[in-house]
């Protein structure tokens, strides 16, 4: 059996995500020398026959100095202003770096909605695919200036994992200012030890995933959840230092690798679990939680105690236990207004046209 490292080294299609901390510094802003070194490593991988999509953070970090901001902004409006200034510089810098190799760059800015809505999703897919077939490298970032708090991806590790799914990548490489996953934050605990390989959740027992640096967004926790998301999509992940990019992209023994799930979620279940917007929620009694999560059964109206939000048949809703804990997501078969009159009723008490499950087992994924 081929190991995770070998699979990543041989991957035909690779998404490479580079964190703000690896591209920008508080004092200098965008670090062009680091960008050049990264473009060289990516170009070398492309010349060896791989397609690469770049997900680049750093817009906010690159926009701070030109706007006279000394600390990473905390409020949305200032972050967006910094991103609008910084994204221009970032895209230009990537263009200049890759131009040294005669490689053309295309900028792709995405919002969470673009991934959550199937029509937009296909558009983004086509653009990325066409850029690839034309030999250009796509540089993706979140469209920070239009994203509001509610509809943000939240962090670019998650965006990169969703893009890896979108383009059907065979590997995701996360490049940061840290050279892998440690059992504790190495900035705070000098005795923390590097974990070279994560094969499943048991390898994460006792690992403390801390916050990020002054420029980064989600810290290690967001990298771990992105690795889980990629694993569900069947994509193995390598987390390595951006300063080791040449070795990481050439299959060197660096960083931490995360194995993919042996059987990937179907595209539909992946979308329900990770990408779709939820329009409302259903609260389940304990028996229904056990049936849908424990025994993978369809959800019937008898086990639903309340409905929140307003949704239409076909929307994705979130399913909660009675203490509010989210337990699953699924595609609902009824409008919220229809469901109100069905709660707690067993199937035989319902009108013949309301006897199909509220969420069919095929459309339901535990979270
Ligand atoms: N268990 C851990 N292992 C490795 N790094 C960790 C851990 N916990 C916290 N970190 C911190 O996470 C930081 C990387 O996250 P972040 O700053 O968000 O990077 P990026 O800008 O690349 O997304 C590292 O600088 C590191 O100090
Ligand atoms: N879209 C933001 C990046 C957000 C983000 O997730 O940053 P990071 O944790 O450094 O990958 C920007 O370009 O500044």
């Amino acid at each position: 059996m081929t190991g995770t490292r070998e699979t990543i080294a041989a991957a035909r299609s690779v998404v490479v995500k580079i964190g703000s901390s690896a591209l920008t510094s508080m004092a200098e802003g965008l670090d062009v020398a680091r960008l050049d070194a990264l473009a060289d490593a990516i170009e070398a991988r492309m010349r060896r026959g791989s397609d690469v999509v770049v997900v680049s953070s750093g817009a906010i970090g690159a926009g701070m100095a030109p706007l006279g901001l000394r600390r990473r902004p905390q409020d949305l409006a200032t972050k967006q202003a910094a991103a609008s200034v910084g994204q221009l510089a970032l895209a230009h810098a990537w263009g200049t770096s890759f131009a040294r190799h005669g490689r053309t760059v295309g900028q792709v800015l995405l919002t969470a909605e673009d991934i959550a809505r199937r029509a937009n999703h296909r558009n983004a897919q086509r653009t990325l695919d066409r850029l690839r077939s034309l030999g250009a490298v796509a540089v993706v970032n979140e469209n920070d200036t239009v994203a509001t708090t509610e509809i943000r991806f939240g962090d670019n590790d998650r965006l990169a994992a969703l893009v890896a799914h979108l383009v059907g990548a065979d590997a995701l490489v996360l490049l940061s200012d840290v050279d892998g996953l440690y059992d504790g934050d190495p900035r705070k605990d000098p005795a923390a030890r590097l974990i070279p390989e994560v094969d499943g959740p048991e390898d994460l027992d006792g690992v403390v995933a801390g916050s990020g640096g002054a420029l980064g967004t989600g810290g290690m926790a967001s990298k771990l959840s992105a690795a889980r998301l990629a694993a569900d999509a069947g994509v193995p992940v390598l987390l390595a230092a951006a300063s080791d990019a040449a070795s990481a992209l050439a299959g060197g023994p660096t960083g931490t690798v995360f194995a993919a799930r042996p059987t990937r979620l179907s595209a539909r279940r992946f979308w329900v679990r990770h990408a779709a917007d939820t329009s409302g929620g259903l609260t389940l009694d304990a028996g229904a939680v056990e049936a849908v999560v424990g025994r993978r059964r369809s959800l019937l109206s008898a086990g639903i105690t309340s409905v929140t939000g307003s949704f239409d048949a076909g929307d994705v809703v979130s399913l909660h236990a009675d203490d509010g804990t989210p337990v699953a997501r699924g595609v609902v078969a009824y409008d919220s207004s229809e469901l109100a009159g069905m709660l707690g009723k067993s199937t035989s008490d319902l009108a013949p046209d309301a006897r199909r499950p509220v969420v069919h087992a095929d459309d339901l994924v535990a979270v």
Side-chain angles (χ1 to χ4, degrees), residues 17 19-21 176-177 180 182 185 187 208 210-213 216 219-220 223:
K17 182 261 172 177
S20 311
S21 53
S176 184
D177 63 343
Y182 285 74
D185 185 346
R187 272 178 310 168
V208 181
S211 57
M220 202 40 59
K223 294 188 198 316

Side-chain angles (χ1 to χ4, degrees), residues 12 29 35 65 76 78-79 113 149 163 166 179 198 212 218 231 260 267 291 328 365:
R12 232 343 284 282
L35 235 92
L76 189 60
T78 317
K79 277 189 202 171
E113 260 189 322
T149 321
V163 167
L166 190 78
D179 60 352
V198 176
V365 197

Side-chain angles (χ1 to χ4, degrees), residues 11 24 37 56 89 178-179 209 278 324-325 328 365:
T24 54
S56 172
V178 67
D179 60 352
T278 53
T325 317
V365 197

Side-chain angles (χ1 to χ4, degrees), residues 17-24 57-58 72 155-157 174-188 192-195 207-224 239-240 242 256:
K17 182 261 172 177
I18 302 137
S20 311
S21 53
L23 290 178
T24 54
S57 300
R72 195 176 201 279
D155 63 75
N156 272 2
D157 298 313
L174 300 175
L175 298 174
S176 184
D177 63 343
V178 67
D179 60 352
L181 172 69
Y182 285 74
D183 54 6
D185 185 346
R187 272 178 310 168
K188 296 184 182 144
R193 284 188 321 197
L194 182 85
I195 302 171
V207 169
V208 181
S211 57
L215 284 161
T217 300
M220 202 40 59
S222 84
K223 294 188 198 316
L224 291 185
L239 167 62
T256 302

